[in-house]
Amino acid sequence: MNLAVVGATGMVGRTFLKVLEERQIPIDEFYVFASSRSAGSKLRFNDKEYTVLELNENSFKEHKIDIALFSAGGGTSLKYAPIAAKNGCIVIDNSSAWRMDPEVPLVVPEVNPQDIRKNKGIIANPNCSTIQAVVALAPLHKKYGIKRIVYTTFQAVSGAGMGGWTDLEEGLKGHEPKKFPHKIAGNCLPHIDIFLDNGYTKEEIKMVEETRKILHNSNLRITATTVRVPVFNGHSESINVEFNKEFDLNELRDCLENAPGLIVQDDIGNNVYPLALNATDKDEVFVGRIRRDESVENGINLWVVADNIRKGAATNAVQIAQWIIENM
Ligand code: A2P
């Protein structure tokens, strides 16, 4: 199995390499691609040095690549994923370019792995905030039927790539931001991705639409507010959910305890709840502050945290690759 990483020098790209190494994915030939800016530079993988190649229209014809993990921005994915697919490669794409295409499965392996089988050469990795949310919500949806979701996110700067990270690092020294429209150090920006005509940001609409697609329910009532906060890594989310059915809180907690890829951290007596700093470098999603929403009939509040670069991007994509290798 020949595998390539496109955008290998980026924040997510480098983590692809780390996770592939950790999971000992069996690879024959390995290729790392980026733009002309970093072509020729070296990356270490499995104790070997690989030269970064410039991605071009012939890259997939020249090398027989079976699976390519893309994280090089939407433009690169739009242009190159179809070229890769035409050359017999399965692309697992971390950008938002293909996520809502009806021909493209949108997959979180703990939730809808069987959708992978429907791929026609491109599989989309969901938005980081959506991934961690649905890992917690899918088991509850199955058991109680979700009626409505209210998302509020607290998203780390690593989600905006190297540029986002640098803005916070430099901002803490008093320098002006280059990536974000305002200072992120000491601030919260209720603005992730572009604003749309309805007043929502694209990030908010991604959460709404992607949750519906992954949970196979196009009518789910969902609203979202997404906020960039001065945290280097690890997204936190407040999730308010209303169910169709009544629930017992202990049973609901058991349901979360037994869900794949999810760890319950909920011991308020000892100040235990999920934290971005603790979730960093972990592959699981963490849930806590599980409590009844007393303002509605069948509602709960959850606090959900995950490493947005790992489970929110690289790990999820590598899990999809693993599933393909093991099942197809
Ligand atoms: P490069 O290092 O050459 O700029 P991040 O989101 O962390 O900033 O990373 C973006 C990644 O996408 C980098 O690896 C970057 O490579 C890569 N990239 C950006 N534009 C292209 C392109 N046109 N072709 C291939 N890779 C690209």
Side-chain angles (χ1 to χ4, degrees), residues 241-243 247 291-294 296-301:
V241 195
E242 263 184 85
F243 299 109
F247 65 90
R291 63 211 190 277
R292 201 173 272 282
D293 174 355
E294 293 172 344
V296 293
E297 215 169 327
N298 301 311
I300 51 155
N301 287 302

Side-chain angles (χ1 to χ4, degrees), residues 6-12 33-38 55 71-73 76 161-163:
V6 174
T9 52
M11 188 80 79
V12 174
F33 293 100
S35 78
S36 56
R37 287 181 294 274
S38 51
L55 185 70
S71 190
T76 305
M162 296 285 194

